[in-house]
Amino acid sequence: MKPVFVKTHNYHAFHAALKSLNGRGAEECQLVVVDGEPGLGKTTILSRWASENGCIYLRAKTEWQSSWFIAELLDEARVTKPHRHEARFKAALQALGERALLAENSGRQFAVVIDEADHISGRQKVIETVRDLADLSGVPFVLVGMGKIRDNLTRFPQIASRVSGYVRFSTASQQDVEHFLSEKCEVPVAPCLAEFVRRCTGGYNREIKEALVAIERFGLRNAPADPDLGLTIREMAGQHLINDRKSGQPIRVPSNLGVVA
Amino acid sequence: MSGGAHQTALLYHLGRTCQTIDELRTTLEMNSRQISDAASGLIQRGFVERVEAGCFQLTAEGHTAVANGERITSGPNGPHKSQRSPRQNTLRQRAWSAMRIRRRFSIPDLITDTALGDERGAANNLQRYVRSLRKAQVIRCLPVRVPGTAPSSPGFPQYTLVHDLGPVAPTLRRNGLVLFDHNSGQEIGL
């Protein structure tokens, strides 16, 4: 598997949401919510984006409280933690402002990414602290989770109204799968096999990567008959591709076009 | 001649007896200002002393310097004591951020997360960096390797972050003999 990052439609949707922050109508809309089922590449895309732009990346914990959150934020910003909560909040605001200024000068976009934000989306105190920091510092906060965030935020209309963009990560399209396979796979893959991969993986990135490994392992030992066309479904007939996400049963490449489980 | 060269010329010309600026001007190809400036520099270094106004002679340190064949240069005049700030947004800094986010990773994972495409030898660079981090016991190699797909591939080692040193990536110093942690300001021997 080639170690390259592939920009799927989810990546572009995330970027569009961040761009929309710059053209927002209300100044206080500084929250972006990213959600989707596990295995759609949220963490991969966010970690890549955060490390590329020098953003602050925090992973929410089950027992996170407001003070713990600010302490972690200060640690990440390399600021000595004052004793009192009020002073910590001020220090966090200053640190965020300085980091945003630094990013602006170097032409990068700065934000605070909070992964696994489902843990905090139902906690009013923590979410209000996020809102205060976002409002007062002008730094965008990206909340990443698995689908509960949107529902939980509806309980806090003052927060929900500040969300400038919701990005729901969806399963890969046929075009995404073909692009993914052509960029990452060391063996050329024919469109018929790519279509089968999309169908049996349901478009989940995690499963597509699993299928890619199986295709590559087979293709490097049995070169495709037509290198221009790539490895076809007929050539891989009977080979184990992935395990089904729900049942755990192995899915093999069929000799006809039906899925053999 | 530069300032350092003037000082060197004066250092080797002065002897144990006191010489005035006028005497020096006749024997050295320097004007009064240049002699005065060179003498001030040598006095600061402790090689020359002023016996009276406009009259200079070598000190004991000056004689030792002449005996050692020392050449005066414009600098450096001592070791650099200030700490160099780490560079932002390098491949290794991005890789370190990716390690902190992922916690468990392989080299191909790091390349996927960090390489922008214009780096030369990104894989080798990260390989060396990861090896140093492992030596410093900042990361640990897991017993299970990620299987490779090529027929003869032994797979890829997997690592896990043991000590999260902080947001700034540790850098190698002294030809890779020590790892410097910019977050705590401490060196870790390899």
Side-chain angles (χ1 to χ4, degrees):
Chain A
M1 197 188 308
K2 295 177 200 163
V4 289
F5 182 78
V6 182
K7 293 175 180 174
T8 58
H9 78 274
N10 284 329
Y11 177 85
H12 293 300
F14 173 64
H15 258 254
L18 288 172
K19 272 190 184 170
S20 74
L21 277 173
N22 302 329
R24 65 193 181 273
E27 283 292 319
E28 65 272 18
C29 295
Q30 290 287 4
L31 297 176
V32 174
V33 173
V34 177
D35 57 8
E37 289 177 71
L40 288 175
K42 293 187 298 296
T43 303
T44 308
I45 288 175
L46 266 297
S47 86
R48 159 100 183 181
W49 182 78
S51 53
E52 199 177 317
N53 287 284
C55 295
I56 290 181
Y57 183 97
L58 303 170
R59 188 191 178 281
K61 318 287 184 302
T62 323
E63 297 297 325
W64 247 21
Q65 297 297 332
S66 181
S67 53
W68 185 357
F69 158 59
I70 290 195
E72 269 200 33
L73 186 63
L74 289 174
D75 275 342
E76 283 300 310
R78 297 184 69 203
V79 175
T80 316
K81 294 190 282 288
H83 185 63
R84 285 163 55 233
H85 188 72
E86 184 194 342
R88 284 186 178 196
F89 187 84
K90 277 185 186 167
L93 268 185
Q94 190 179 338
L96 288 178
E98 284 168 4
R99 290 285 294 267
L101 193 65
L102 194 70
E104 204 175 288
N105 291 341
S106 55
R108 288 185 285 164
Q109 184 158 21
F110 177 69
V112 178
V113 179
I114 304 180
D115 202 359
E116 307 293 349
D118 297 280
H119 292 311
I120 57 161
S121 57
R123 295 215 181 110
Q124 188 165 5
K125 278 190 179 174
V126 183
I127 214 81
E128 289 279 7
T129 308
V130 170
R131 170 200 163 190
D132 289 341
L133 285 170
D135 276 5
L136 296 172
S137 68
V139 169
F141 276 65
V142 183
L143 306 176
V144 189
M146 285 188 292
K148 281 190 214 161
I149 306 176
R150 209 178 290 220
D151 300 333
N152 286 342
L153 287 187
T154 53
R155 289 166 50 201
F156 313 117
Q158 72 279 22
I159 311 284
S161 65
R162 279 171 164 76
V163 177
S164 78
Y166 285 100
V167 184
R168 173 148 284 172
F169 273 37
S170 56
T171 52
S173 63
Q174 179 61 31
Q175 200 183 354
D176 276 339
V177 174
E178 282 177 16
H179 183 47
F180 197 83
L181 292 175
S182 70
E183 288 286 317
K184 281 190 89 77
C185 192
E186 298 198 27
V187 178
V189 179
C192 61
L193 185 56
E195 201 278 328
F196 178 72
V197 168
R198 198 207 68 78
R199 197 148 46 89
C200 69
T201 58
Y204 287 96
N205 284 27
R206 202 167 286 166
E207 275 80 0
I208 295 171
K209 272 165 101 176
E210 253 183 75
L212 192 151
V213 170
I215 292 169
E216 218 173 69
R217 191 169 292 140
F218 179 83
L220 288 172
R221 287 163 180 77
N222 308 278
D226 183 354
D228 293 332
L229 178 65
L231 204 61
T232 61
I233 203 164
R234 186 181 292 274
E235 285 168 311
M236 266 202 81
Q239 294 296 318
H240 172 250
L241 199 65
I242 57 162
N243 287 333
D244 184 61
R245 176 177 270 235
K246 285 176 187 159
S247 66
Q249 293 295 309
I251 297 178
R252 294 180 187 281
V253 181
S255 47
N256 54 20
L257 284 180
V259 179
V260 178
Chain B
M1 282 201 291
S2 64
H6 285 156
Q7 288 185 37
T8 307
L10 186 61
L11 179 71
Y12 284 89
H13 191 77
L14 285 172
R16 285 194 184 279
T17 53
C18 173
Q19 293 194 46
T20 62
I21 290 180
D22 288 336
E23 287 167 356
L24 291 166
R25 200 175 51 195
T26 55
T27 49
L28 290 171
E29 290 178 0
M30 289 156 66
N31 61 34
S32 303
R33 169 55 55 197
Q34 287 168 334
I35 292 168
S36 175
D37 288 346
S40 298
L42 290 172
I43 288 167
Q44 272 183 8
R45 289 171 193 271
F47 291 161
V48 165
E49 60 186 353
R50 189 164 51 216
V51 181
E52 58 186 52
C55 191
F56 308 99
Q57 72 177 20
L58 288 185
T59 59
E61 288 87 0
H63 283 292
T64 315
V66 171
N68 292 339
E70 201 163 310
R71 317 294 302 177
I72 310 292
T73 56
S74 57
N77 294 321
H80 288 294
K81 287 178 184 164
S82 62
Q83 188 183 312
R84 197 178 122 186
S85 61
R87 291 176 67 193
Q88 305 284 326
N89 203 22
T90 58
L91 178 74
R92 290 185 178 189
Q93 174 62 58
R94 293 196 298 274
W96 174 252
S97 302
M99 285 180 216
R100 295 181 69 227
I101 292 169
R102 282 182 173 267
R103 296 275 158 172
R104 186 178 171 142
F105 53 87
S106 63
I107 303 272
D109 288 337
L110 294 182
I111 299 169
T112 310
D113 279 359
T114 58
L116 302 176
D118 53 356
E119 302 92 352
R120 282 195 303 174
N124 282 341
N125 188 344
L126 291 179
Q127 194 90 47
R128 286 197 303 275
Y129 188 51
V130 163
R131 195 184 304 139
S132 308
L133 292 178
R134 192 184 163 196
K135 270 190 194 171
Q137 300 190 338
V138 174
I139 60 171
R140 184 172 74 89
C141 188
L142 294 173
V144 184
R145 294 168 82 94
V146 184
T149 52
S152 59
S153 172
F156 301 98
Q158 267 194 107
Y159 303 92
T160 180
L161 189 64
V162 180
H163 293 297
D164 186 352
L165 301 175
V168 182
T171 50
L172 288 167
R173 282 189 176 176
R174 296 192 215 152
N175 289 330
L177 290 175
V178 292
L179 193 71
F180 184 70
D181 173 13
H182 292 270
N183 302 288
S184 65
Q186 289 182 341
E187 285 187 344
I188 305 168
L190 299 183

